[in-house]
Amino acid sequence: MRYTTAGESHGKALMAIVTDVPAGVPLRQRDIDADLRRRQQGYGRGGRMLIEADTAQVLSGVRFGRTIGSPVALLVGNEDAANWAEVMDPFGSAEAVARVTAPRPGHADLPGILKTGAQDVRDVLERASARETAARVAAGAIARALLAELGVTVRSWVERIGDASTGPLAPADVARSAVGGCDVSCPDEAVAHRMRAAIDDARERGESIGGVFVVSAEGLVPGLGGYEEAALRLDARLAAAVVSVPAIKGVEFGDGFGCAALSGSEVHDEIVRDASGVLRRATNRAGGLEGGMTNGEALVVRAAMKPIPTLMRPLSTVDLVTGQRADAAKERSDVCAVPAAAVVAEAEVALVLADAYQDLLGRAFLGDMRAALAAYRARIGW
Ligand SMILES: Cc1cc2nc3c(=O)[nH]c(=O)nc-3n(C[C@H](O)[C@H](O)[C@H](O)COP(=O)(O)O)c2cc1C
């Protein structure tokens, strides 16, 4: 399963096309829209998210609530586009609109115009904007629907915003309801309170703020991914997918960077036989991955998000027209988007896992995948 997206932040719509989707996967409109709504929410978001009411129009690949094996095309409209018709007119005149000439440090603005020869930073920022991630979340819902049929759930929570942190938590200790009911997606209400205060403080100072989130997946069989070739390694595929989310600057699995300071016996997960004879692990420091494959324990991916680049008290830049020092451009912006980024990363993880299941079980038809999964489980006694 793969996807591509198109669309600009203030254009008419975002689009995703998901290819290599098996036939027979049940899909409900509300499943896609629920993920889109979660991406829109979160304490610290800017005014744009109040304008949008994201919903995905399914344009192809689904009939009567099931995928039919053809590419799934999804369209998420931009309500705000009505206010930007002249600025984003495909055939209008550049003379009629004000150019953005003060590239923002930390965004795609400067490398983007150097790369493309654009005279207006807007040519770059419209696509580099994380509004694009709405299309990714819609695409991820297709993967999530397949995974649900295979007994896999993917979820996330926010571990840190600024200096407010829960510390590392195991998936088993994180209640889905506690995260779902919290506007910073934090399972600990006392820490959530401090997170909101950190966001308020950043907003008052004209600043932005980042954090850390965790994506976990439960119900995975061992052996997804591969040790045989670099391109098969699931850790590499997951890392690339999560770091592809804008503003994600670090990713680790399980104890990750912490492992570097420890002895081998403090890091590796001993193999034990559980009551029903299944080979499990006494601990899950590896975050469910060994040798580029799942090992049957919960997948635990932790990611660091940098603070949002657009600042209401802007950093210095150089104006591209005058060549003089200037304040960096100010677009309407989030102060903190860590909870939303976590939802986008869930979608990315779901797409990688769905693809890895197809590698193992076949790509064409859910019924065949189910049969192959049952045979695989029977063979490995899982
Ligand atoms: C969900 C989400 C929302 C974001 N919102 C904003 C925003 O409102 N303003 C902004 O400047 N950057 C925002 N960003 C971050 C930028 O998109 C990102 O920093 C930029 O594309 C440059 O990419 P890089 O940080 O990976 O280098 C957001 C990122 C995500 C994942």
Side-chain angles (χ1 to χ4, degrees):
M1 195 180 288
R2 286 175 299 282
Y3 78 91
T4 189
T5 73
E8 276 87 36
S9 180
H10 299 100
K12 290 202 173 81
L14 284 315
M15 291 143 273
I17 297 183
V18 190
T19 55
D20 200 11
V21 178
V25 179
L27 190 69
R28 297 174 306 185
Q29 177 78 50
R30 65 171 180 269
D31 296 332
I32 313 175
D33 290 350
D35 285 347
L36 286 170
R37 227 180 345 272
R38 287 194 303 128
R39 193 206 72 97
Q40 265 193 274
Q41 289 166 355
Y43 198 80
R45 302 306 299 279
R48 172 76 187 269
M49 287 304 119
L50 300 173
I51 298 173
E52 302 299 339
D54 289 345
T55 176
Q57 229 181 307
V58 180
L59 300 180
S60 73
V62 181
R63 272 191 91 210
F64 313 132
R66 277 177 196 276
T67 59
I68 56 172
S70 40
V72 177
L74 301 151
L75 185 140
V76 180
N78 283 329
E79 298 282 327
D80 203 15
N83 305 317
W84 292 75
E86 197 180 13
V87 176
M88 297 304 293
D89 188 341
F91 303 110
S93 162
E95 264 62 83
V97 299
R99 284 160 63 189
V100 179
T101 58
R104 294 162 297 172
H107 223 299
D109 301 1
L110 182 56
I113 57 162
L114 294 175
K115 176 183 175 182
T116 61
Q119 300 297 308
D120 181 350
V121 174
R122 184 161 302 286
D123 285 355
V124 171
L125 72 84
E126 280 291 332
R127 178 66 182 158
S129 157
R131 176 77 185 137
E132 182 263 349
T133 61
R136 299 195 201 192
V137 168
I142 313 300
R144 204 192 280 276
L146 170 61
L147 292 173
E149 295 301 310
L150 303 175
V152 176
T153 52
V154 179
R155 63 196 178 115
S156 68
W157 64 92
V158 172
E159 180 177 299
R160 166 184 294 278
I161 290 178
D163 60 7
S165 170
T166 60
L169 297 171
D173 298 329
V174 175
R176 191 177 280 270
S177 56
V179 176
C182 175
D183 56 5
V184 283
S185 302
C186 176
D188 181 327
E189 184 44 42
V191 181
H193 183 73
R194 288 173 42 222
M195 289 177 173
R196 285 184 211 102
I199 295 168
D200 289 342
D201 177 61
R203 186 186 287 108
E204 276 160 30
R205 291 183 294 116
E207 276 287 0
S208 61
I209 194 168
V212 173
F213 61 80
V214 179
V215 177
S216 77
E218 286 144 288
L220 297 163
V221 290
L224 296 167
Y227 59 91
E228 305 90 337
E229 291 175 50
L232 294 179
R233 287 189 69 102
L234 196 66
D235 46 5
R237 288 154 74 183
L238 287 165
V242 172
V243 174
S244 81
V245 178
I248 302 309
K249 295 297 135 192
V251 60
E252 64 179 15
F253 301 103
D255 288 357
F257 276 72
C259 296
L262 302 174
S263 305
S265 62
E266 296 169 305
V267 168
H268 303 301
D269 301 308
E270 287 186 313
I271 300 170
V272 294
R273 201 176 278 283
D274 76 7
S276 46
V278 179
L279 298 179
R280 304 295 301 249
R281 302 312 171 97
T283 50
N284 186 20
R285 297 155 176 162
L289 293 170
E290 285 173 315
M293 294 167 290
T294 51
N295 66 6
E297 303 303 323
L299 174 71
V300 181
V301 188
R302 182 174 283 101
M305 183 178 194
K306 75 183 187 182
I308 299 283
T310 307
L311 300 176
M312 292 307 119
R313 234 183 57 203
L315 290 172
S316 281
T317 187
V318 174
D319 188 282
L320 299 171
V321 174
T322 66
Q324 302 299 309
R325 195 215 77 83
D327 284 346
K330 281 194 264 183
E331 289 274 315
R332 185 179 41 202
S333 184
D334 301 324
V335 173
C336 175
V338 179
V343 177
V344 181
E346 281 180 40
E348 288 288 349
V349 167
L351 284 153
V352 171
L353 292 177
D355 196 54
Y357 263 102
Q358 287 180 287
D359 288 344
L360 190 70
L361 306 176
R363 313 195 77 83
F365 172 43
L366 175 62
D368 290 343
M369 292 181 75
R370 273 194 218 282
L373 180 61
Y376 183 69
R377 281 185 181 282
R379 178 173 69 74
I380 66 172
W382 194 268

